Amino acid sequence: MVNFRYHIVSLIAVFVALCLGVVLGAGPLQSRISSGLASNATTASSNEALAQAQNNGKIEARAVSELAQSRLNGSLNGVSVALVTVPGTDSADVDSMRQTLGQAGAQVSGEAELTNTWLSADSATFRSTLSTPLASHLSGLPADAGAEAVIAQAIVSSLTQSGSEPDLVKQILTGGDTPVMKISKDPQGGAQAIIVIGPRANTTSTNETSAAAPLASQASWEGLAKMIGNAPFGGVIFGDASSDRSTISALRNANVAATTVDQVGTTQGTISAVLALKDAHASARSFGVGSGATSIFPPAQ
């Protein structure tokens, strides 16, 4: 009898459990389970979309590189190029530029680095003083050339001209305890074109926090941009235009007559900068995707 009652109780307990399971499954637990499954499905879908977008980006970058390759090949055959970096320039961007110039048939004959003396607000007075002796050794300076333009023309002259005067200018720029420029590979005045590679976005070139620092930087950049086109084959300013305060954006907003290319740090930008070098004299030409750019690549010639 005990065993029979035990079995009856057990059967009742089983039926109660089943009923509770049905009720809970159709009510609160169902919503939680459904919510959990939906959340997992959404996460999986987002991850899949992200992976697809990244893959598409790689494919597009490769396609751009391959399409541009036909235009790059031989476009700068025999042209001697000097690469100029500034405080904050990424060495990887310099390596990429060397490689792309090689694909175009150009030769990197010189490499120089502009220092914080060229850029810093604290050195504005020093640059103004230095411009006086430099101007006496330079020819073809505009009558209204300011200190930054004089120093910029001196930089161009020291890289693209040879002789006693350009050599003296180079000594003034690179000498002393606070040089304006350091030359790691001297082109001996043989560079025909110049590419200036600026820093990427969110890269600070100095430790200054005063409001005068950006103004000094802008004046230095404008002076260089105005004079870089005086190189025999012209010059290109390659940098960032991701915001209004970015180097390239500021030059474009100031209507400086220079060839500018944005998207530094990308394959697309590097290719565009090399292609732009073919006709990079003193005229306002803007390439890339940032504000003020007229097209991503220079038009085919």
Side-chain angles (χ1 to χ4, degrees), residues 24-281:
L24 291 174
L29 284 181
Q30 182 184 31
S31 62
R32 292 184 182 180
I33 292 171
S34 299
S35 177
L37 291 174
S39 177
N40 290 338
T42 301
T43 301
S45 178
S46 298
N47 290 339
E48 182 179 350
L50 178 60
Q52 184 64 43
Q54 291 174 336
N55 186 55
N56 288 343
K58 292 178 181 178
I59 292 173
E60 289 174 2
R62 181 178 176 183
V64 167
S65 180
E66 291 180 356
L67 286 172
Q69 187 66 47
S70 60
R71 289 186 60 189
L72 274 177
N73 287 339
S75 62
L76 295 175
N77 268 345
V79 177
S80 177
V81 181
L83 298 181
V84 176
T85 61
V86 301
T89 299
D90 194 311
S91 60
D93 297 336
V94 180
D95 293 339
S96 178
M97 184 61 73
R98 288 195 202 99
Q99 181 180 358
T100 307
L101 283 168
Q103 293 171 354
Q107 176 188 1
V108 178
S109 62
E111 295 189 20
E113 174 192 358
L114 300 182
T115 68
N116 273 320
T117 301
W118 170 77
L119 189 64
S120 170
D122 291 341
S123 300
T125 301
F126 175 80
R127 289 194 300 272
S128 180
T129 302
L130 188 67
S131 67
T132 300
L134 282 173
S136 64
H137 299 288
L138 297 171
S139 59
L141 278 174
D144 60 347
E148 309 296 355
V150 170
I151 290 177
Q153 181 58 38
I155 293 168
V156 172
S157 175
S158 65
L159 296 173
T160 63
Q161 298 177 16
S162 58
S164 58
E165 290 293 271
D167 287 347
L168 181 57
V169 166
K170 180 167 59 178
Q171 290 176 18
I172 295 174
L173 290 175
T174 60
D177 297 330
T178 54
V180 171
M181 179 172 67
K182 297 178 181 179
I183 298 177
S184 56
K185 183 178 182 180
D186 195 340
Q188 302 295 327
Q192 298 169 298
I194 299 173
I195 295 181
V196 179
I197 306 174
R200 300 182 184 185
N202 301 321
T203 300
T204 55
S205 56
T206 70
N207 293 324
E208 296 172 295
T209 57
S210 66
L215 297 177
S217 174
Q218 177 66 8
S220 297
W221 276 109
E222 287 189 17
L224 185 60
K226 289 176 182 177
M227 296 300 170
I228 195 173
N230 292 337
F233 279 56
V236 170
I237 305 290
F238 182 34
D240 173 53
S242 60
S243 73
D244 290 340
R245 292 176 62 86
S246 299
T247 301
I248 300 300
S249 297
L251 290 175
R252 291 171 178 172
N253 291 336
N255 296 316
V256 178
T259 297
T260 60
V261 179
D262 60 61
Q263 283 195 301
V264 64
T266 69
T267 300
Q268 180 175 295
T270 304
I271 291 173
S272 183
V274 172
L275 292 174
L277 194 59
K278 194 168 184 178
D279 188 23
H281 291 285

